[in-house]
Amino acid sequence: MAQSKEQRILEFVQENAVKGDPQSVVEHIDKYCSQKEWAMNVGDEKGLILDKVFKETNPTTVLELGTYCGYSAIRMARLLKKGSRLLTVEMQPEHAAVAKPMIEFAGVQDKVKILEGATETIIPSLKSKYGVDKVDFVFIDHFKNFYASDTKLLEECGLLKKGSVLLADNIVYPGVPEFLKYVRTSGRYDCTNYPSHVQYSDELDAMEKAVFKGY
Ligand SMILES: O=C(c1ccccc1)c1ccc(O)c(O)c1[N+](=O)[O-]
Ligand SMILES: [Mg+2]
């Protein structure tokens, strides 16, 4: 069977990056995806925004919606303080099958757990099945049509606390208008927009930070 783009990215990392060095893995994914084949990792420019907001939050419990090849999970895990954990949800098995060895190659497998399945199923199980009380930081980067419904689901499941930070990718491209309207008009979030560009491109994009104000 022909190799997928995601498998080619993994192979490039395994053959060129430094094993056990998450920064090297991140840099090599960016190198491949900027020079060889575009891919929907959050990328280097928006990755710096992710780093900044993540460091400001200094989270203990992190949730990611949309693992893809593991780039942003590895990027966040390299900044995670001791004793913290990152749960990342991926619906597509073929992506999870690449992300797992990618995360292991980066050496962050003890901090990162991939949850395979649909967010609408997994989010309601986080407390009972994974022992989550509240999430401090949520990076939202999965199916664009699910951003708004999954944000409301996080609220309904009691997973957010006053100060929980949501950071959403793709505010401009492909765009998430329902999510943006909800977080900006519900009265439940303090929002900040971070203009940027589509990964590995000059096209405009942005990220949105939405800080939960409490129930
Ligand atoms: O939807 C796409 C997309 C659309 C068209 C072609 C390829 C990807 C996309 C583009 C940039 C992203 O950062 C991203 O997260 C996604 N995504 O699918 O989740
Ligand atoms: Mg994205």
Side-chain angles (χ1 to χ4, degrees):
M1 192 171 170
Q3 242 187 353
S4 69
K5 173 172 68 178
E6 292 75 23
Q7 289 168 326
R8 290 193 290 273
I9 296 169
L10 174 62
E11 186 176 82
F12 179 79
V13 165
Q14 291 171 327
E15 291 178 356
N16 296 280
V18 176
K19 187 171 173 58
D21 180 344
Q23 184 63 32
S24 176
V25 171
V26 164
E27 289 171 358
H28 280 81
I29 294 174
D30 284 330
K31 180 179 173 72
Y32 185 87
C33 296
S34 54
Q35 296 177 5
K36 303 289 185 191
E37 297 186 83
W38 187 93
M40 59 185 180
N41 324 104
V42 72
D44 44 359
E45 183 183 345
K46 291 188 287 182
L48 288 172
I49 299 169
L50 173 60
D51 289 353
K52 175 183 180 298
V53 177
F54 190 91
K55 288 177 188 173
E56 286 169 356
T57 311
N58 192 28
T60 301
T61 303
V62 179
L63 176 66
E64 175 179 64
L65 307 181
T67 314
Y68 190 43
C69 293
Y71 175 94
S72 44
I74 292 164
R75 194 161 185 131
M76 291 188 281
R78 87 195 203 289
L79 300 174
L80 263 179
K81 63 191 174 193
K82 191 172 173 56
S84 301
R85 64 172 171 162
L86 189 157
L87 301 174
T88 180
V89 184
E90 179 52 56
M91 185 168 180
Q92 296 178 254
E94 64 274 21
H95 292 168
V98 167
K100 187 172 184 297
M102 190 81 83
I103 287 163
E104 289 166 353
F105 186 89
V108 295
Q109 66 283 349
D110 294 342
K111 303 178 180 186
V112 179
K113 183 173 183 61
I114 302 173
L115 309 181
E116 276 192 58
T119 46
E120 63 182 354
T121 307
I122 289 178
I123 288 172
S125 74
L126 288 176
K127 285 180 181 278
S128 58
K129 192 169 180 183
Y130 300 100
V132 174
D133 178 24
K134 304 290 183 186
V135 291
D136 307 305
F137 188 90
V138 187
F139 180 50
I140 310 174
D141 192 21
H142 61 330
F143 292 108
K144 307 314 158 194
N145 294 342
F146 292 175
Y147 278 37
S149 53
D150 284 341
T151 296
K152 293 171 186 173
L153 190 55
L154 287 167
E155 292 175 19
E156 290 157 14
C157 293
L159 285 160
L160 302 181
K161 64 179 178 17
K162 183 175 176 7
S164 289
V165 173
L166 311 183
L167 183 66
D169 190 22
N170 307 121
I171 298 305
V172 175
Y173 176 80
V176 284
E178 187 189 353
F179 167 82
L180 211 49
K181 181 180 177 187
Y182 178 68
V183 292
R184 288 183 177 179
T185 65
S186 67
R188 296 181 173 187
Y189 297 89
D190 289 318
C191 296
T192 308
N193 186 265
Y194 298 87
S196 188
H197 296 89
V198 173
Q199 48 270 60
Y200 321 117
S201 159
D202 295 333
E203 296 299 316
L204 294 179
D205 195 6
M207 301 178 94
E208 187 88 356
K209 179 176 76 170
V211 182
F212 190 58
K213 297 198 285 187
Y215 294 99

